[in-house]
Amino acid sequence: MIDYLKEAARVRPSRKQLDWFDLEWYAFIHFGPNTFTDREWGQGNEPESVFNPTHLDCDQWAEAIKAAGMKGMVLTAKHHDGFCLWPSRYTEHSVKNSPYRGDVVKEAADACRRAGIRFGVYLSPWDRNSEYYGTPEYNDYFCNQLTELLTGYGDIFYVWFDNACGEGSNGKKQVYDFPRYFELINKYQPNAVIFNDYGPDIRWCGNEAGAARHAEWSVIPSELCKYSRVQTGSGPLADEGNLSFLYNTEKELGSMPNILYSKGLTYTPAEINMSIRPGWFWHKEEEPHSLERLFQTYLTSVGANACMHLNLPPTTEGLLDERDVKRLKELGDLVRKELGHSIPAVIEKQAGSPLTQPVYTIDLKEPVKRLNYIVLKEEIEKGQRVESFRIVAEFSSGNQYPIYQGTCIGHKKICQLQDPFALQNPLINDSKGLISRLRVQITAARDEVFLKEIQVF
Ligand code: FUL
């Protein structure tokens, strides 16, 4: 058992997964015929003439994304309706036959480069327009389109595949040849990470409401992430159970029982994706979510061993809605205010023994009245190891109080100690005096623990 946990602790991310994790958050852009027909899913029979942005300005998108502090943009080059935002050679159902005759993919890619953010694409396998859908030729058609995107627009950091598989206009369903799609990406854009419900690089967290699990492990049974690289042998209980039921919506994925029953483990971290509004596409009457809700999602995604993918839908003009731009700026300002400047401290690690886990002592250079957040990061290059931890605050009076308990850490854990929107701080209040020291006690781990960073805010 112990040996298998050590194996689990050595399941490692790839270089491109590490780079992706460091981006922390980036934007989604849902734009296409649905923007003009006021729908979420087009039927594929919309005339090309509906796509008519009157003031398209991708620099405005990129600047708003940058102002929030997000590091990239992923554009829906083709959504389920099959309409291509670039003039694809393989279909007539694209921008080239619309009143807007340009290339939105190029505009967006160029704007990202000018703004210094990364550019990625969403290409929907489900295509309700293509005559090939439901036949083996469709996979050729899809690969041709994917190749156009991978070779015509410079560096792509992310290729995002939706797993939806409905009927095409001919009533047929398609078997997607994902391994073939992945091969093309590895050939033309080897540094791009690939998102799909089942890996290979990034997986869906299981909901579109912005909620990570209480323990969002990156080390996951291969029963779920069937496209990811399996890095271990079977768990000690693999013959006793069957994890074939595992889906992204399960409450526990990488927790201990699943690990032990698995036939092998992969490193496939989660992305938390949600829209700034109720819909993925722009609808005039919708309002952006509250600042509270978006900030909370930031904490429970970026701060819970995942990345945040926040959708911003352009309007029929081809601009981001001013209400969204304002909310985004508020969100960026709040993130910078709350987590921009750490309190100076001296950190010391007391190594554990074979039977105990390490304790990290954080001596604050100046005692403080109030703490808002403690940020912990593991050296995930070595693997994800911490199962649980607790944090104790020591006051100048000598009194000690436990202030936080958590499960896994991984890339980044933001331990929230107060709510900036609440009037009262329930965890620490002034009556207890000044806090001079903190202790982070690792209470369970799969192998020796290495924290890369501890910051106090
Ligand atoms: C879903 C799609 O069906 C939605 O329209 C949207 O694109 C979302 C990001 O993924 O599965």
Side-chain angles (χ1 to χ4, degrees), residues 34-222:
N34 295 337
T35 311
F36 301 86
T37 55
D38 206 15
R39 299 183 71 123
E40 279 292 302
W41 280 4
Q43 292 178 322
N45 58 2
E46 295 76 17
E48 290 80 35
S49 58
V50 300
F51 187 80
N52 189 16
T54 46
H55 296 92
L56 182 78
D57 181 359
C58 298
D59 287 316
Q60 187 246 13
W61 308 354
E63 287 308 322
I65 291 168
K66 198 176 163 181
M70 287 193 275
K71 301 289 178 1
M73 173 203 292
V74 180
L75 173 67
T76 53
K78 174 180 94 165
H79 201 252
H80 308 329
D81 54 35
F83 181 87
C84 300
L85 292 186
W86 79 104
S88 171
R89 276 195 287 141
Y90 301 97
T91 179
E92 291 304 305
H93 197 47
S94 84
V95 277
K96 72 183 170 204
N97 291 319
S98 75
Y100 167 81
R101 289 186 173 274
D103 181 341
V104 185
V105 177
K106 181 166 189 319
E107 294 287 328
D110 289 350
C112 285
R113 265 180 283 282
R114 282 192 288 273
I117 60 173
R118 315 293 300 276
F119 178 67
V121 289
Y122 166 116
L123 187 66
S124 169
W126 185 21
D127 188 320
R128 305 178 89 178
N129 175 268
S130 172
E131 56 185 309
Y132 304 117
Y133 197 80
T135 71
E137 286 77 58
Y138 179 75
N139 282 316
D140 298 338
Y141 173 75
F142 191 83
C143 284
N144 284 334
Q145 294 199 321
L146 185 56
T147 305
E148 286 183 318
L149 292 173
L150 296 171
T151 56
Y153 299 95
D155 273 352
I156 302 272
F157 87 101
Y158 205 4
V159 182
W160 208 98
F161 290 125
D162 196 299
N163 236 71
C165 181
E167 291 174 347
S169 55
N170 48 15
K172 290 190 195 152
K173 276 203 176 185
Q174 178 71 38
V175 179
Y176 304 137
D177 193 351
F178 278 117
R180 193 173 153 200
Y181 311 163
F182 300 160
E183 220 174 279
L184 273 183
I185 298 165
N186 290 332
K187 178 170 166 196
Y188 292 119
Q189 296 280 348
N191 297 324
V193 279
I194 304 171
F195 174 98
N196 182 270
D197 280 13
Y198 308 108
D201 300 318
I202 315 297
R203 67 183 161 82
W204 183 41
C205 70
N207 66 76
E208 293 178 348
R213 289 173 175 74
H214 75 115
E216 194 63 84
W217 284 90
S218 300
V219 180
I220 296 293
S222 55

Side-chain angles (χ1 to χ4, degrees), residues 260-271:
L260 299 178
Y261 283 99
S262 169
K263 298 220 162 15
L265 305 174
T266 75
Y267 191 96
T268 323
E271 173 186 283

Side-chain angles (χ1 to χ4, degrees), residues 152 220 224 260 262 282 295 299 303 406 421 425:
I220 296 293
L224 172 70
L260 299 178
S262 169
W282 183 74
F295 182 64
L299 296 177
F421 297 97
N425 169 5

